[in-house]
Amino acid sequence: MDTFETVEVLLDVPLHGTFTYLAPHALPAGTRVQVDFRGRKQCGVLVDGVANPALDPAKIKPLAAIFDELPPLPAALLRLIDFVSAYYHYPKGAALFTALPTALRVAQAARLADRRAWALSAAGLADQPPARQRARLALWQALQDGPQTIHDLRAVSAQAPKVLGQWLEEGKAERAEPPSPELEVADGPPLNAEQQAALAAISDSFGRFQPWLLQGVTGSGKTEVYLHLIACALAAGRQVLVLVPEISLTPQLLQRFADRFPVTPIAALHSSLADGERLQGWVDAWQGRAGIVIGTRLSVFVPLPRLGLIVVDEEHDGSLKQQDGLRYHARDLAVWRAHDAAVPIVLGSATPSLETVANVEAGRYRRLLLTTRAHAAASLPQVRLVDTRLLRLNEGLSEPVLAALAKRLQKREMSLVFINRRGYSPVIACPQCGWTSGCKRCSSKLVLHLLQRVLRCHHCGWEEGVPRVCPDCGNVDIQPLGEGTQRLESAIQRLFPEARVLRIDRDSTRNKDAWDEVYRKVHAGEVDILIGTQMLAKGHDFGALSLVVVLGADGGLYSADFRAGERLFSLLMQVAGRAGRAEHRGEVLVQTQWPEHPLYLSLVAQDFDGFATRELAARREAHFPPAIFQALLRADAHEAHEAEAFLGQFKAEAAPWLGEVALFGPAPATMARLAGRERMQLVFECADRRALHRCLNQALPLLERLGRKAGRSLRWSLDVDPTEM
DNA sequence: AGCACGCCGACT
DNA sequence: GTCGGCGTGCTC
């Protein structure tokens, strides 16, 4: 049978290249198949390519099955995967399978609800049922108006499924795409002049690639601009992709979209969806049925045949970067997609990433500013620094902070005390011998959780009992050091016995019921003082807060991580934005030992641009991103010397062809020990992105060779444009 | 990634 | 004499 031909198949294996199989006839790229691979059934996807001529023809097996319940994956997705694989230096098969929903990653046909509608064929139209067949006649008449869903037809007659099945067999009925509902857009609040200007500028760029930075503080109405833009895109028959941080994909946000577009199908892709539901949303988007896709970083891969606009909300947010496996940045891929599809993309943020700021400066992105809070109090909160060097602290709280809390309590207004550290205290220590509660598996301290009476590692999850005496010297007087949310909660409760105090962190809102209860209490006005971590700062709306107190922020000022300042500023701006959304101007108090630090001065002035200009200059001076480009080669093993040897050998062998690329390391990672593994890293730096990628292209075969040669305990990974070092 | 093949220690 | 340790290498 020489009519068989070979096809190239991508598999979910961490190997570069494709595998060759025999197909009974020509099949298009994107076809999902089942193959026999190493004696196991595996799912594969066909791509363009030619068989390796050196391959022994006797080894080529036939395809085990061809899945045709869905059309082949679209060319735009395969193009994106080509780019992702090349840019992140990640095997193409593994990259593709990361992008697919779980239900399409397995060697099984996808099980989907049939959402196609029913229509009459020409033969059916010509064959009007007699009047005595009342159900048939009613269905026939209903179908005169065009395709109908089975749901609507069942309302005409309960026998609809049976009759239509019969008509289908007789060739009188056929399946059709359901009629798309007319666009309906509910009214929103009126736009102010800045919002209107942004809307006009962006909608003017429909139909071509143009990245926009929509920069506006909390409450300036970015979402309202998105909603108007989405309405424009939908009206033009286009689909819209909306990417949001994990933490802001809440029922409240989805409801806001659903309320505005009551009949538009919206595919919401969040992490708690079952495989089947995620598949359904993915396919609805792919088949053009969903008008809007809203989801977290993984949604950047969802195929959209009529894509007209991309929105990336909170584009600076760290959750848009995947930190394991395929380490992609969804914002960057979204920009690539917008370019590929020739559509505009809107990056929204109050505190854009410095990468984006640099792109604006270079003229690649265009910036639109929203400077006024769109509704209610048209003023920004007043931010004040409380210099703790000169003050006695009571349970970690200064006199001005206590006074401010007491004042709100008296006025029955809600306050928020923000401390970015959960648990009771971040470490316990022995004042006699200097022992501290270190994690045995990580280079971190165990955090005291008093309620559960455990010491817990926030990095690897390790838990152990709280020792009564110092394990090293037997001293009975070991003490908690520093503040966490739990300790702050009991301190505040002690200082304000009459206050209704509520703590919100990952520990107190572990399950959904607890979270709903928190939400209900806050909105029912049953809370006077909220205590929480960054869970409280981002995404969730807690209504009217008249006072926000920030504790323990100084740690971000002088960190080894050059991005710590950027993250701190962004977080503090968001926390500050929680104050004064109601009719009163809010107040923000930041307790600090560094009240003259320029970061805080910019915060007091609510001046992101001033902060960004200074920070960007410092990055250029110090040769840090975005002034240069980085890649990070990580290696971990049971013993540090294994990881170091691997990186050292790579560096030695790579030296001759590094060119203008500089290598730094090997050095221990920030968390030198994590979950019992020793971690080392090597940093690639280059002012020229292309030169860096040429270097990485050369590096990869060497890495794979050295990786195979090293012991099985060694693992390595490459992180292009790393955001965490 | 898996998984088999392959060559050296403590056990029925 | 075998069970099994994980080093090495391949997967169409």
Side-chain angles (χ1 to χ4, degrees):
Chain A
M1 285 262 245
D2 42 20
T3 57
F4 278 62
E5 47 191 284
T6 64
V7 289
E8 297 303 297
V9 178
L10 285 177
L11 298 173
D12 192 7
V13 287
L15 299 169
H16 292 272
T18 55
F19 293 88
T20 305
Y21 285 86
L22 283 170
H25 50 83
L27 289 166
T31 303
R32 223 165 56 87
V33 296
Q34 183 190 87
V35 297
D36 192 32
F37 181 74
R38 283 297 238 118
R40 299 161 72 87
K41 298 280 175 232
Q42 282 248 54
C43 178
V45 172
L46 261 58
V47 286
D48 289 327
V50 287
N52 176 3
L55 184 63
D56 176 5
K59 280 189 163 180
I60 303 178
K61 299 176 189 175
L63 296 175
I66 298 162
F67 299 120
D68 60 359
E69 76 282 2
L70 284 165
L73 295 169
L77 174 62
L78 299 178
R79 272 200 306 280
L80 175 61
I81 295 303
D82 278 343
F83 169 74
V84 164
S85 167
Y87 187 82
Y88 292 107
H89 302 271
Y90 201 74
K92 203 178 284 183
L96 173 61
F97 280 80
T98 302
L100 294 180
T102 320
L104 295 183
R105 299 209 278 245
V106 293
Q108 270 175 28
R111 294 151 55 97
L112 287 153
D114 187 350
R115 301 213 171 164
R116 286 177 303 171
W118 294 86
L120 289 175
S121 65
L125 277 169
D127 187 19
Q128 179 174 358
R132 64 190 152 75
Q133 296 179 356
R134 281 179 49 202
R136 283 166 186 262
L137 182 60
L139 289 166
W140 187 85
Q141 281 166 342
L143 286 164
Q144 298 297 309
D145 302 335
Q148 306 278 331
T149 64
I150 196 66
H151 179 263
D152 290 344
L153 290 170
R154 214 181 251 135
V156 175
S157 163
Q159 291 167 55
K162 194 177 131 227
V163 172
L164 287 158
Q166 205 178 331
W167 283 354
L168 186 67
E169 266 180 37
E170 295 166 4
K172 292 185 199 165
E174 55 197 22
R175 310 304 305 273
E177 276 306 305
S180 41
E182 289 287 312
L183 176 63
E184 238 180 77
V185 183
D187 285 339
L191 298 184
N192 64 29
E194 283 178 332
Q195 288 173 312
Q196 279 177 28
L199 173 63
I202 299 167
S203 51
D204 221 38
S205 70
F206 277 180
R208 63 186 160 88
F209 172 63
Q210 175 63 54
W212 296 94
L213 166 61
L214 184 61
Q215 185 182 330
V217 294
T218 314
S220 63
K222 292 189 291 290
T223 310
E224 205 50 50
V225 175
Y226 304 154
L227 290 168
H228 277 82
L229 285 167
I230 292 167
C232 295
L234 293 173
R238 298 304 203 101
Q239 294 172 289
V240 182
L241 173 62
V242 183
L243 299 179
V244 298
E246 276 158 3
I247 202 155
S248 44
L249 192 52
T250 58
Q252 291 79 15
L253 179 77
L254 298 178
Q255 195 56 50
R256 191 163 170 196
F257 276 72
D259 287 346
R260 185 63 61 91
F261 306 107
V263 298
T264 303
I266 301 176
L269 301 175
H270 44 88
S271 57
S272 54
L273 285 187
D275 290 351
E277 293 171 304
R278 176 168 279 275
L279 173 71
Q280 196 60 250
W282 208 87
V283 171
D284 283 345
W286 172 18
Q287 297 308 306
R289 288 188 286 262
I292 303 169
V293 173
I294 175 163
T296 51
R297 60 174 179 265
L298 203 50
S299 309
V300 78
F301 294 110
V302 175
L304 293 155
R306 293 182 286 110
L307 181 61
L309 171 71
I310 302 179
V311 173
V312 183
D313 191 29
E314 307 293 350
E315 67 88 30
H316 65 279
D317 192 275
S319 73
L320 290 167
K321 174 76 159 63
Q322 176 126 61
Q323 298 293 9
D324 54 63
L326 173 60
R327 300 171 136 87
Y328 64 96
H329 202 302
R331 178 240 291 136
D332 298 345
L333 293 186
V335 172
W336 189 92
R337 264 192 92 165
H339 182 263
D340 185 62
V343 301
I345 176 168
V346 181
L347 309 178
S349 179
T351 52
S353 65
L354 289 184
E355 281 73 9
T356 293
V357 173
N359 277 323
V360 170
E361 280 193 10
R364 285 186 287 269
Y365 298 0
R366 288 165 68 187
R367 183 170 81 153
L368 297 161
L369 278 173
L370 302 180
T371 56
T372 50
R373 289 189 139 183
H375 34 242
S379 56
L380 294 166
Q382 183 182 36
V383 182
R384 285 200 294 135
L385 303 172
V386 179
D387 183 352
T388 55
R389 288 173 305 186
L390 309 169
L391 299 168
R392 277 232 338 267
L393 298 184
N394 189 352
E395 309 262 19
L397 298 167
S398 62
E399 182 49 41
V401 162
L402 291 173
L405 283 170
K407 190 172 110 191
R408 307 304 143 135
L409 204 52
Q410 201 176 25
K411 289 165 73 179
R412 306 239 115 217
E413 291 174 355
M414 189 160 63
S415 303
L416 161 63
V417 183
F418 174 84
I419 180 166
N420 205 13
R421 185 173 258 156
R422 62 200 169 89
Y424 184 82
S425 79
V427 63
I428 56 176
C430 170
Q432 197 165 295
C433 75
W435 170 87
T436 56
S437 53
C439 176
K440 291 170 184 61
R441 309 170 67 210
C442 306
S443 38
S444 62
K445 301 297 177 201
L446 296 174
V447 175
L448 175 60
H449 287 247
L450 207 57
L451 288 176
Q452 297 92 347
R453 301 231 115 250
V454 292
L455 295 175
R456 181 181 299 152
C457 176
H458 286 186
H459 298 279
C460 73
W462 170 267
E463 282 188 11
E464 61 185 53
V466 184
R468 295 227 175 90
V469 299
C470 172
D472 278 5
C473 72
N475 178 15
V476 293
D477 193 24
I478 53 176
Q479 289 165 5
L481 282 186
E483 294 277 340
T485 44
Q486 289 180 14
R487 189 177 196 179
L488 191 62
E489 180 187 22
S490 47
I492 287 183
Q493 195 65 82
R494 218 166 22 246
L495 291 163
F496 301 102
E498 75 285 11
R500 296 164 299 171
V501 178
L502 183 64
R503 173 171 59 89
I504 300 185
D505 56 29
R506 193 134 53 92
D507 302 305
S508 75
T509 57
R510 192 142 284 168
N511 59 51
K512 192 180 169 298
D513 288 349
W515 180 247
D516 290 347
E517 176 62 7
V518 159
Y519 216 81
R520 188 197 63 75
K521 271 190 178 169
V522 170
H523 285 276
E526 295 173 16
V527 180
D528 298 312
I529 302 176
L530 273 171
I531 295 171
T533 58
Q534 55 175 302
M535 275 188 85
L536 267 174
K538 301 185 174 189
H540 307 286
D541 184 6
F542 286 96
L545 290 165
S546 77
L547 171 70
V548 170
V549 174
V550 178
L551 303 178
D554 286 349
L557 294 179
Y558 297 102
S559 164
D561 179 350
F562 68 85
R563 268 185 252 262
E566 182 183 352
R567 277 196 288 265
L568 177 62
F569 191 84
S570 169
L571 184 60
L572 293 180
M573 283 281 279
Q574 288 195 62
V575 181
R578 293 284 161 231
R581 295 194 89 163
E583 54 281 4
H584 305 292
R585 188 173 186 202
E587 186 182 17
V588 180
L589 295 179
V590 180
Q591 270 197 190
T592 173
Q593 307 214 45
W594 304 92
E596 69 291 330
H597 194 286
L599 186 149
Y600 286 142
L601 298 180
S602 292
L603 181 75
V604 168
Q606 302 271 294
D607 177 19
F608 173 78
D609 291 346
F611 166 78
T613 303
R614 199 175 49 244
E615 183 71 19
L616 210 45
R619 299 269 186 97
R620 289 192 175 118
E621 183 80 13
H623 297 284
F624 279 139
I628 57 122
F629 300 96
Q630 288 182 324
L632 188 61
L633 176 59
R634 289 176 231 261
D636 61 82
H638 292 139
E639 304 290 340
H641 67 82
E642 297 174 75
E644 189 168 14
F646 167 80
L647 295 175
Q649 203 167 356
F650 168 79
K651 189 177 183 179
E653 291 196 36
W657 42 261
L658 280 178
E660 53 200 300
V661 175
L663 276 189
F664 298 94
T670 314
M671 283 289 291
R673 217 168 121 73
L674 182 68
R677 297 182 64 84
E678 300 290 339
R679 311 159 81 218
M680 303 285 290
Q681 62 192 32
L682 196 60
V683 185
F684 296 66
E685 291 189 0
C686 189
D688 177 359
R689 179 176 255 159
R690 291 165 154 270
L692 176 63
H693 280 264
R694 273 196 303 275
C695 171
L696 294 175
N697 275 330
Q698 277 199 282
L700 229 63
L702 173 58
L703 286 170
E704 276 158 10
R705 183 163 59 78
L706 294 174
R708 273 196 302 274
K709 234 175 62 185
R712 64 206 297 106
S713 110
L714 183 111
R715 289 188 312 218
W716 63 273
S717 64
L718 193 61
D719 191 348
V720 177
D721 306 330
T723 57
E724 315 257 350
M725 310 286 280

